Amino acid sequence: MYGYLLLFLLIYILYRFVVGFVLPVMRASKTMQQKMRDMNQNMSNEPPPNFNDPINKKPEYQSKSSTSKNSASDKDYIEFEEIK
């Protein structure tokens, strides 16, 4: 009698483990693999970026004169009083 009860309990625990943990993990991994495959396929279908295109170029910075630096730093400076 107790043997059957123990066997039933083990089968139930195994069933709960498979249904509650193994199957959801398998579904999630299958979904992730499919999404990765789709993403790789989309990336291979896109044309490579054209680095000569003016939209993709990085801005070329010009050296500013020292007077503009001083005026900018004067605007950023806030005077304060020292507390003693």
Side-chain angles (χ1 to χ4, degrees):
M1 181 66 182
Y2 290 114
Y4 290 120
L5 187 61
L6 185 61
L7 182 63
F8 177 74
L9 185 64
L10 286 173
I11 291 172
Y12 176 74
I13 291 172
L14 182 64
Y15 170 79
R16 292 288 296 177
F17 176 73
V18 169
V19 171
F21 182 72
V22 175
L23 289 178
V25 168
M26 288 175 55
R27 285 186 204 133
S29 65
K30 189 175 185 180
T31 303
M32 288 298 294
Q33 286 176 353
Q34 181 65 35
K35 290 199 182 278
M36 288 294 288
R37 198 174 304 122
D38 291 344
M39 185 176 64
N40 286 336
Q41 188 177 19
N42 288 342
M43 290 296 288
S44 65
N45 290 341
E46 289 182 8
N50 184 2
F51 292 107
N52 295 329
D53 189 10
I55 295 173
N56 292 332
K57 280 189 177 179
K58 291 184 180 178
E60 296 178 14
Y61 296 104
Q62 298 174 352
S63 62
K64 295 182 179 180
S65 64
S66 61
T67 57
S68 65
K69 284 186 180 180
N70 288 339
S71 64
S73 63
D74 289 339
K75 291 178 185 176
D76 292 338
Y77 183 74
I78 300 172
E79 291 189 31
F80 64 95
E81 296 179 20
E82 282 191 32
I83 300 175
K84 291 184 180 180

